[in-house]
Amino acid sequence: MYTGDSQEKIRTARRPPVRRRTQPAPADRHVLEEILAKPWVRPLLGWISAMDGRGVSRLERLCMAFDNPAAPRTDRLKWWLPGKLIGFVLDRRAIDREHAKKKLLHHVPTLRSLALAARGIARYGLSKPQRFPAPLMVVWNFTQLCNLKCRHCYQNSSAQRPEGELTLDEKLRVVDELAANGVPFLAVAGGEPLTSKDLEPVLTHAAWRGIHLTLATNGTLLTPERVRRLMDCGVKYIEVSIDSPDPAEHDRFRGVPGAWERAIQGIRNSVAAGMRTGLATTFTRATVDKFDRIVQLAKELGCATFSHFNFIPVGRGEQCAQYDLSPEQREELLEKLVEVLQDGELNVISTAPQFGRSCVMHLPGDGIFSIGHAGTGAGRKTMVLARYVGGCGAGRCYCCIEPDGRVTPCVYMPSVVVGDLRRQRLAEIWNCETFRILADREDRGDHCAVCDLRVFCGGCRARALAYTGDLTAGDPGCRFNRHVWEEVTQGAGAALPVLG
C-alpha cells in the first residue's frame, strides 16, 4: 500500500517479520502509569491542558501564577487555591520553592511539554510510544544557504540562496503557528542559519513566545560578538559539527580549507560566553575509529553535550553511502556512547533510535538512560518514561520545516512532504496519514515488527526509507536487521535505491 498525503507516494509494503532475537525489557511500572491509564483521567487531562488562542494552557497559567507577583492578578486569584496546595506539597516534601519554580513551575517549555503530553493522553489514550497532538520539538532548516560544501549534507545546501524561501513576515507567522499549537522546543539548523539576516529577529520573536531555542551550526561564523547576540535573542544551546579530531580530515569532508580551526574557535567562543555548547559528529567508516579522540576533544573544549548524528544517505549523503557504518560498527559505537553517558562528564544524545535500546540492554536500573528527543535521565523512572517518549520521533513528537515552509516528518526525509505552512495550519498537517503510520510501531516489518525493545527504539524510519523505499521496513542499521543490510549492500531487489 501507499500513503497518499505526501507529494510523492511512499510505500508501506509491510515486509514480513523475522525470528525474534531480543529479550523483553524489565517490566517495571510506575504508579503514575496506572493512574494515567484510567478512563476518568483523560477528561481531566484534557481540561487542564486546554489552550487559549495564544497557545497557553490552563496548566501553564496555574503554575505561572504560583508565588509569582508578576503574574496577572486575575490568574493569581483564579488559581489561588491550587497554588496553596502546590505550596503545601513543596513544603511537606522539603523542596526548595525557588528551585521548583526555576526548573518546573515557571519554566514555560517544561510546562508546555507536560501540557502537550496531557493533551496526547486525553486524545489518544496512554500509548507506548505516546502519540502527541503537536510536535514536542521542531527542527527548522532555516535556509538553504551555506558557506561550506559538506560531502554528507542531508539538505544539499549551496552557496546560492534559491528562490522561494520564506520571507521574514512568513517566518514570524510560522513562529506564531508553533506557539499557538503549544510547541515547546525549536531547533534551528540549515544550511548554515548564521548566514541569514532574518535569524535574529525570528529567534527573538520565538523566545518572546516562550519557545526554548537551540541552534545547530558549522561553527565557522561563531564570533564572540555573534554568540552574545544569540544569547540576547534567547538561544539556550549551540551545537557545532566536527567530523574528525584531525583538521585536514574535517576540512576535506567540509570542502573548505581552515573550516576545522574556525569551527573549534567557534566552540571556544560559545563556551567562553557561558553558552551551553555541544559538539556533534556524524561517524563514518573512515572516522569511527577516532571516537575516543573526538569525545576527549569535546571534553577538553568544555562542551556540555556530545551529539552523535546517525548517517542517513539522503541529499549529498547518497554519494558517500559506501562509508556508512555496518550494523556491527554502529552497535559497538552505541555501546561506547552508553559508556560515555554513564561517566557523567558529558551529556550524550544520538539521532540513532537504537541508542535508547542499547541503554536498556546494557545498563542496570540505576543507570542513565536516553529518552530520545527528551534527552537523558537516571534511574528506572527514566526507563519507564523512555517507553512512552523514546526512540524515533518522526511524525510522532517531532517534525521538520524546510526553508520554503514545507513540512516533512524528519530532516532526513526531505522527499516526504506532507504539508506547506504557507497554505495550511500546523494542526491540519500534523494529523496526516503518514504521521499516523510513523506513530504506530506495531505496523513494521523485519525485526522491527517483533523486537521486544521497539517501544524504546522503533528503528530509524529515515534509514529504512532511504535504503529500501519502504517507510515501515526494518532499519538496516540495526544488528537485528542484518538481513536487510545484506540485501542493501549486495544490491538485491529493485527497491533498494541507494546501494543497489
Side-chain angles (χ1 to χ4, degrees):
M1 63 178 275
Y2 294 86
T3 175
D5 46 30
S6 171
Q7 289 184 359
E8 299 182 8
K9 286 186 175 181
I10 304 301
R11 188 156 59 93
T12 58
R14 191 68 184 276
R15 290 165 58 96
V18 296
R19 180 177 61 85
R20 182 183 286 109
R21 298 174 56 199
T22 51
Q23 297 294 323
D28 296 30
R29 287 187 65 81
H30 192 274
V31 63
L32 190 59
E33 291 180 274
E34 307 291 345
I35 295 172
L36 293 177
K38 295 185 181 300
W40 60 265
V41 172
R42 291 175 64 177
L44 179 61
L45 292 176
W47 181 84
I48 194 65
S49 63
M51 297 186 297
D52 60 21
R54 286 179 51 82
V56 181
S57 67
R58 289 190 175 101
L59 176 65
E60 189 177 334
R61 291 197 177 280
L62 160 62
C63 293
M64 291 298 294
F66 171 74
D67 197 18
N68 184 7
R73 186 169 181 270
T74 53
D75 281 358
R76 284 183 282 140
L77 291 173
K78 181 177 181 179
W79 301 107
W80 177 82
L81 186 57
K84 295 295 285 185
L85 179 60
I86 292 173
F88 172 78
V89 172
L90 293 178
D91 294 342
R92 185 70 178 267
R93 293 183 173 271
I95 298 173
D96 180 73
R97 288 195 178 204
E98 294 305 314
H99 180 77
K101 288 191 293 184
K102 180 180 179 181
K103 295 295 185 180
L104 173 62
L105 297 171
H106 292 179
H107 191 254
V108 173
T110 299
L111 294 175
R112 288 187 177 174
S113 299
L114 292 173
L116 197 55
R119 285 199 302 280
I121 297 170
R123 181 178 299 183
Y124 304 113
L126 189 66
S127 60
K128 293 181 285 190
Q130 187 61 48
R131 188 177 179 188
F132 292 83
L136 274 173
M137 182 180 76
V138 169
V139 174
W140 190 348
N141 289 329
F142 203 74
T143 179
Q144 199 76 3
L145 185 65
C146 188
N147 59 330
L148 300 183
K149 305 170 185 177
C150 306
R151 293 175 61 188
H152 58 333
C153 180
Y154 64 80
Q155 191 66 15
N156 204 14
S157 300
S158 68
Q160 301 295 323
R161 181 183 287 106
E163 296 182 3
E165 290 193 0
L166 297 173
T167 66
L168 176 58
D169 285 344
E170 288 174 326
K171 290 170 182 171
L172 296 174
R173 285 200 296 272
V174 167
V175 170
D176 289 335
E177 184 77 5
L178 299 180
N181 282 269
V183 175
F185 300 99
L186 174 61
V188 178
E192 174 48 58
L194 296 180
T195 62
S196 174
K197 63 181 180 2
D198 294 340
L199 178 65
E200 291 181 15
V202 171
L203 292 174
T204 300
H205 187 59
W208 178 73
R209 293 303 307 263
I211 299 174
H212 185 279
L213 295 169
T214 64
L215 182 80
T217 170
N218 61 43
T220 60
L221 304 178
L222 273 180
T223 63
E225 178 191 4
R226 196 64 191 271
V227 176
R228 286 193 297 271
R229 281 161 42 194
L230 290 170
M231 295 175 76
D232 291 341
C233 292
V235 175
K236 303 299 184 185
Y237 170 74
I238 290 177
E239 189 170 84
V240 178
S241 295
I242 301 293
D243 293 303
S244 171
D246 298 326
E249 187 170 39
H250 174 91
D251 291 355
R252 283 195 301 272
F253 222 64
R254 295 279 157 174
V256 175
W260 190 90
E261 292 288 352
R262 292 165 63 192
I264 294 297
Q265 187 58 51
I267 293 176
R268 291 193 177 106
N269 293 337
S270 182
V271 171
M275 173 71 77
R276 186 167 172 267
T277 307
L279 187 152
T281 301
T282 303
F283 288 102
T284 66
R285 295 190 181 197
T287 59
V288 70
D289 62 328
K290 301 178 176 68
F291 174 85
D292 293 336
R293 290 174 58 197
I294 204 156
V295 168
Q296 184 59 35
L297 176 63
K299 293 178 179 180
E300 292 172 355
L301 290 169
C303 292
T305 297
F306 180 75
S307 178
H308 161 240
F309 282 132
N310 208 18
F311 175 83
I312 313 290
V314 295
R316 287 201 292 274
E318 289 187 21
Q319 308 308 313
C320 52
Q322 67 271 24
Y323 297 110
D324 192 6
L325 302 178
S326 69
E328 290 75 21
Q329 287 175 314
R330 180 170 285 100
E331 193 70 21
E332 183 179 353
L333 172 63
L334 292 172
E335 290 180 23
K336 289 182 177 180
L337 288 170
V338 172
E339 291 176 5
V340 174
L341 178 61
Q342 303 315 299
D343 71 23
E345 193 172 345
L346 280 175
N347 184 37
V348 177
I349 57 178
S350 174
T351 62
Q354 290 89 358
F355 185 44
R357 184 261 296 159
S358 187
C359 286
V360 173
M361 288 180 64
H362 299 294
L363 293 179
D366 58 353
I368 303 175
F369 296 88
S370 169
I371 327 173
H373 297 281
T376 59
R380 290 199 179 276
K381 291 180 182 179
T382 302
M383 189 170 67
V384 170
L385 178 62
R387 291 203 290 256
Y388 296 92
V389 184
C392 181
R396 178 181 62 87
C397 62
Y398 145 73
C399 69
C400 168
I401 301 174
E402 296 290 357
D404 59 2
R406 294 178 302 158
V407 176
T408 67
C410 172
V411 295
Y412 297 115
M413 295 184 188
S415 66
V416 187
V417 179
V418 296
D420 187 340
L421 287 171
R422 275 182 163 139
R423 291 181 281 275
Q424 296 170 277
R425 307 302 296 267
L426 179 61
E428 174 191 351
I429 297 170
W430 187 257
N431 289 302
C432 67
E433 177 64 10
T434 298
F435 284 9
R436 185 202 65 76
I437 292 170
L438 287 166
D440 181 7
R441 289 188 190 159
E442 301 302 313
D443 186 17
R444 296 289 182 264
D446 304 292
H447 196 273
C448 289
V450 298
C451 183
D452 293 290
L453 305 173
R454 62 186 178 274
V455 294
F456 299 100
C457 173
C460 177
R461 295 300 96 213
R463 285 181 60 83
L465 180 64
Y467 276 122
T468 73
D470 187 340
L471 195 66
T472 61
D475 177 357
C478 177
R479 70 183 179 97
F480 298 120
N481 283 312
R482 175 73 193 182
H483 66 290
V484 184
W485 179 253
E486 290 174 355
E487 290 179 25
V488 170
T489 54
Q490 294 170 10
L496 301 172
V498 177
L499 296 181

